[in-house]
Amino acid sequence: MVMNYMLSEEEQLLIETAKIVANEKIKPVRQYYDKNEEFPWSIINELAKADLCGVYIPEAYGGLGKGIMGLILVVEELCKIDAGIALTLAATALGILPILLFGTSTQKKKYLPDIAAGKSIAAFCLTEANAGSDVTAINTTAIQDGDHYIINGNKCFITNGGEAQVYTVFVKTNTDKGLRGISCFIIDKETQGFAFGKKEHKMGIRASSTRELIFNNCKIHKDQMIGHIGAGLIIAQKTLNYSRPGVAAQALGIATGALYEAIHYAKKRVQFGKSIITFQAIQHMLADMATEVEAARAFLYSCVRMIDAKISKRISKESAMVKLFCSEVAMKVTLNAVQILGGYGYLQDYNVEKMMRDAKITTLYEGTSQIQRNEIALGLIKETVINE
Amino acid sequence: MNKIVICIKHIHNIGINYFDLYALEEGVQLKEQNQDNSKVIVFTMGPRGSESTLRTAISKGADEAYLLTDDKFFKGSDTIATSYILATAIKLLVGQYKIIICGKKTYDSGTEQVGPAIATMLNIPHVSYVREIKSINQRRLTVERVVDDGYETIRSSLPVLLTVTNGVHKPRIASIKSKLLARKANIKIFNAYDLDINTSKIGLYGSPTQVVSLYTKKKKLKKKFSGSARYIVSSFIKQFNNSI
Ligand SMILES: Cc1cc2nc3c(=O)[nH]c(=O)nc-3n(C[C@H](O)[C@H](O)[C@H](O)COP(=O)(O)OP(=O)(O)OC[C@H]3O[C@@H](n4cnc5c(N)ncnc54)[C@H](O)[C@@H]3O)c2cc1C
């Protein structure tokens, strides 16, 4: 890469370390995990040993304190090789962010060090069968019973489901209060009344587990609530503001990986007596892909610098923009990478086939591209009200 | 305390020599297994730039690092002079040690001589091409070494010098925290004067051998076979049989 983003020495160290783990530990097994839909615990162990699990967690809790920037640099680097395996880390960040952003110091002390050390992973549990884009439609309830809450209902599509130790779960504590009736609880895996349902079989990111959660009279102490009662929706929205750049980083990593594969293939593949990279049609495709990838990276890094600098509370528009942009770039670039590899690109023996499958999810989860556009438009409307 | 000494080489533009990573890993694993406050001490002789390789070694588990560097007196040292500098430094700076581990060879010059020469100068036994330390106690160890057509199990008294090949223990990936610590670690630097070394035995003039020139060998195409697979194979075999 020629473009220089003035990353600090420590940020470069994160990238360098993630790259070594990705190449030495993940690359040799990525096809295996994709084919077998097996959860990559052995790799999580490697990430933990290299200190890559807690880059965004403050040093006081055993992390490296490198902010969202640290997280996205690591996620991007890992996703160049495999997005499914890298998702275990990114989804853990999503799952633990509600505690990081809104938890009490007791809750942080209890949960963050194990996450930072890679001893446990987390999951963010919002979606339900009838509440996807419309999160306010959730039906899982928590009814107060003295010092406890009794939780009933099902969550679906939960990344790291069944494997995670820590679940941040959004529930209705008051069904009459609408938007203010949602609260967020931390639920440990072993809690009675908490079980796992169906594991989904997916198009891409198949190393990641996506699973249903079942709460059946699950009793949770009130100290496990994050923030105050009724703050759940705000917690979810703020968490997503911080985590969407993580999805953008997955997309960027996949796109970069696919671009790399396409360039190398195009140099080697000979047709009509020439290597296909000498054809202008191929060159222009590669040029567009590289330009889009670089634009995505520049946008992502500057957006995350702004988020980490905490100069603005209103980051939902930018965070949505960068997720939208990077994920759409990933789709375009992986699609074109397959095109450049021709028939070989369609085979599982070549990596771009998997990259194209993996890329698609980034336009869907943590809000579809349509929902990102809604968020961006809402930001535009709000901004102009303030300015006028 | 048990001191485990590792000799490593910094290779220009590359960093730590490949086989030295295995030497280091073997030493660090020894320390970790025994948990009897062993210490891993790394040495390198080379230009100032070799410091980065010592930091790599610290990030992968070494406790102490010595850089033996002297632009005037060490430059141009051949294998005997290099071994003499390392042996002198080990004697002076470590004293008692349990084991010395070197890589079986370097990637740039590849003589495979430095390890055995150090052992000879220190008057201790050595075992070369070791792939694994099978067992070790206070007095002796058992190792498995690679020979042409298999493995040899060798027992030796301690202290001993081993040269290791890319063996059973894969070099670890340094964690971010250990890399950050390694950046701040204290590297002890010694020159010819500090080591009180006999300068007539080192450097360009103290070296019995001198590299006069280096060049990359051009491979000459002896014969090209083309045609059907069957034809290529049969004509190759014919040619091969004729040539032996
Ligand atoms: C592999 C995977 C992992 C996931 N991981 C998690 C997780 O860890 N935690 C979690 O809580 N959830 C998770 N999800 C759920 C994911 O966030 C939702 O699938 C996503 O938000 C979309 O919801 P939906 O699937 O119900 O689609 P729907 O909401 O039913 O949307 C269907 C279509 O309608 C469009 N649409 C909906 N509303 C609007 C609107 N207002 N304007 C314009 N278009 C609209 C959508 O864009 C989409 O095209 C995961 C999903 C998948 C597939």
Side-chain angles (χ1 to χ4, degrees):
Chain A
M1 289 302 133
V2 184
M3 189 68 194
N4 190 322
Y5 293 98
M6 319 295 170
L7 299 177
S8 72
E9 257 186 61
E10 294 192 353
E11 285 164 347
Q12 289 173 38
L13 187 62
L14 301 183
I15 297 177
E16 178 194 298
T17 308
K19 187 176 189 156
I20 296 173
V21 176
N23 281 299
E24 287 187 20
K25 305 291 177 184
I26 301 180
K27 205 177 196 172
V29 295
R30 60 180 165 182
Q31 279 201 349
Y32 169 87
Y33 283 105
D34 180 52
K35 276 214 175 83
N36 295 286
E37 300 187 289
E38 194 179 305
F39 197 75
W41 275 113
S42 70
I43 305 294
I44 294 173
N45 191 30
E46 296 293 344
L47 294 170
K49 280 199 289 187
D51 295 331
L52 287 165
C53 291
V55 288
Y56 57 96
I57 291 175
E59 285 171 287
Y61 300 103
L64 295 172
K66 294 285 164 271
I68 302 294
M69 193 69 189
L71 174 69
I72 61 136
L73 292 175
V74 169
V75 168
E76 178 192 344
E77 204 54 46
L78 298 178
C79 286
K80 288 179 189 171
I81 299 298
D82 188 283
I85 292 175
L87 180 57
T88 57
L89 202 149
T92 292
L94 169 66
I96 209 71
L97 268 170
I99 302 178
L100 200 58
L101 296 172
F102 299 95
T104 62
S105 79
T106 315
Q107 288 169 341
K108 289 181 187 174
K109 274 188 208 130
K110 183 172 171 193
Y111 291 103
L112 298 183
D114 276 357
I115 297 286
K119 284 187 199 150
S120 74
I121 60 171
F124 177 87
C125 318
L126 183 59
T127 305
E128 294 179 9
N130 294 317
S133 299
D134 178 11
V135 299
T136 60
I138 60 170
N139 243 330
T140 300
T141 55
I143 308 294
Q144 188 152 17
D145 175 18
D147 279 348
H148 291 82
Y149 282 86
I150 310 295
I151 301 188
N152 278 294
N154 290 4
K155 294 284 171 186
C156 66
F157 282 144
I158 304 307
T159 304
N160 287 346
E163 309 291 341
Q165 189 61 34
V166 190
Y167 297 79
T168 45
V169 185
F170 295 84
V171 296
K172 281 251 164 91
T173 34
N174 188 329
T175 43
D176 303 326
K177 275 199 167 168
L179 301 185
R180 303 226 166 269
I182 298 174
S183 303
C184 180
F185 287 91
I186 313 167
I187 303 184
D188 295 323
K189 187 180 183 183
E190 285 81 20
T191 312
Q192 266 213 346
F194 176 21
F196 302 101
K198 182 164 149 258
K199 188 176 161 175
E200 308 296 346
H201 301 290
K202 307 185 294 288
M203 171 194 281
I205 53 162
R206 287 158 54 88
S208 168
S209 94
T210 311
R211 212 157 161 188
E212 191 184 10
L213 313 184
I214 303 162
F215 298 99
N216 187 4
N217 290 327
C218 177
K219 195 170 164 186
I220 299 294
H221 194 272
K222 66 178 183 356
D223 290 349
Q224 293 295 92
M225 187 186 284
I226 301 177
H228 56 80
I229 191 163
L233 194 64
I234 291 176
I235 294 174
Q237 284 168 339
K238 292 246 157 104
T239 295
L240 290 168
N241 289 346
Y242 280 83
S243 71
R244 280 173 181 154
V247 180
Q250 293 163 36
L252 176 60
I254 299 169
T256 310
L259 173 62
Y260 175 91
E261 299 280 346
I263 295 170
H264 284 260
Y265 184 85
K267 279 183 169 173
K268 274 194 280 171
R269 175 68 173 169
V270 175
Q271 286 294 279
F272 300 99
K274 289 181 200 151
S275 110
I276 62 167
I277 204 163
T278 61
F279 303 142
Q280 198 177 49
I282 300 284
Q283 288 178 357
H284 284 191
M285 261 166 106
L286 287 169
D288 284 343
M289 288 156 76
T291 306
E292 280 171 336
V293 164
E294 212 54 73
R297 183 172 292 115
F299 187 15
L300 175 61
Y301 289 5
S302 44
C303 181
V304 174
R305 283 271 188 248
M306 181 190 85
I307 292 175
D308 277 343
K310 300 195 166 62
I311 40 177
S312 170
K313 275 192 178 167
R314 304 162 63 88
I315 54 169
S316 61
K317 185 185 88 205
E318 288 69 26
S319 150
M321 280 177 164
V322 81
K323 193 243 179 204
L324 171 68
F325 189 77
C326 291
S327 60
E328 307 262 311
V329 164
M331 264 335 281
K332 267 192 273 181
V333 168
T334 54
L335 210 60
N336 281 337
V338 171
Q339 194 66 25
I340 289 173
L341 267 76
Y344 295 94
Y346 199 66
L347 304 184
Q348 291 187 349
D349 311 69
Y350 290 79
N351 300 315
V352 292
E353 177 267 348
K354 173 175 180 298
M355 288 168 167
M356 183 175 147
R357 287 188 283 113
D358 287 350
K360 187 60 206 165
I361 190 62
T362 62
T363 70
L364 298 171
Y365 59 17
E366 297 189 35
T368 61
S369 290
Q370 288 72 30
I371 295 302
Q372 305 307 319
R373 289 185 172 95
N374 290 353
E375 193 82 48
I376 295 162
L378 191 68
L380 293 174
I381 294 165
K382 279 187 191 164
E383 267 171 26
T384 44
V385 168
I386 292 167
N387 289 343
E388 270 154 20
Chain B
M1 190 201 304
N2 288 312
K3 292 181 182 169
I4 301 163
V5 175
I6 318 284
C7 298
I8 63 179
K9 184 177 183 185
H10 173 80
I11 298 183
H12 187 60
N13 280 341
I14 291 183
I16 186 168
N17 177 47
Y18 173 76
F19 289 105
D20 300 350
L21 280 170
Y22 285 86
L24 178 67
E25 184 63 33
E26 209 59 40
V28 173
Q29 292 217 4
L30 263 189
K31 173 181 88 167
E32 288 170 349
Q33 283 158 19
N34 295 340
Q35 302 191 329
D36 51 359
N37 73 343
S38 302
K39 209 182 216 179
V40 173
I41 306 170
V42 284
F43 280 88
T44 191
M45 195 284 284
R48 271 307 293 254
S50 311
E51 193 181 316
S52 63
T53 274
L54 290 172
R55 293 195 191 280
T56 303
I58 292 174
S59 75
K60 290 172 187 274
D63 301 292
E64 266 180 48
Y66 291 94
L67 172 59
L68 314 175
T69 189
D70 194 316
D71 280 349
K72 187 166 169 206
F73 292 112
F74 291 175
K75 231 182 188 163
S77 293
D78 70 356
T79 55
I80 292 198
T82 302
S83 310
Y84 180 67
I85 295 166
L86 286 164
T88 307
I90 292 169
K91 232 187 290 181
L92 179 78
L93 303 169
V94 185
Q96 297 282 322
Y97 47 83
K98 187 173 185 177
I99 188 168
I100 301 175
I101 313 178
C102 305
K104 79 162 181 178
K105 67 170 182 181
T106 55
Y107 245 57
D108 46 359
S109 36
T111 65
E112 313 193 5
Q113 291 167 0
V114 170
I118 294 173
T120 309
M121 289 170 187
L122 293 172
N123 206 16
I124 58 170
H126 83 264
V127 187
S128 53
Y129 312 130
V130 170
R131 72 193 283 265
E132 190 182 10
I133 297 173
K134 288 285 190 189
S135 67
I136 184 164
N137 60 29
Q138 282 311 317
R139 287 179 303 120
R140 55 164 131 248
L141 57 50
T142 307
V143 299
E144 196 169 80
R145 72 187 289 262
V146 181
V147 289
D148 275 351
D149 43 8
Y151 304 109
E152 229 170 43
T153 303
I154 302 231
R155 196 160 61 204
S156 164
S157 61
L158 294 176
V160 66
L161 184 143
L162 309 178
T163 76
V164 301
T165 178
N166 44 352
V168 292
H169 297 131
K170 269 205 92 186
R172 70 195 55 197
I173 295 173
S175 73
I176 296 170
K177 283 181 190 167
S178 64
K179 281 184 188 164
L180 289 171
L181 285 175
R183 284 185 175 183
K184 296 188 204 129
N186 177 25
I187 306 278
K188 295 163 192 150
I189 302 179
F190 286 77
N191 61 20
Y193 176 81
D194 302 326
L195 294 176
D196 195 17
I197 202 163
N198 180 350
T199 50
S200 70
K201 287 187 163 187
I202 57 173
L204 197 58
Y205 299 106
S207 295
T209 60
Q210 282 167 17
V211 178
V212 183
S213 79
L214 273 175
Y215 62 95
T216 319
K217 194 177 158 192
K218 288 206 183 71
K219 288 193 189 96
K220 255 195 258 155
L221 190 65
K222 283 222 176 90
K223 192 173 161 69
K224 195 172 169 183
F225 301 95
S226 53
S228 71
R230 182 178 292 276
Y231 176 76
I232 291 173
V233 172
S234 67
S235 46
F236 173 73
I237 290 172
K238 213 179 281 163
Q239 167 95 14
F240 188 70
N241 283 337
N242 288 343
S243 67
I244 52 172

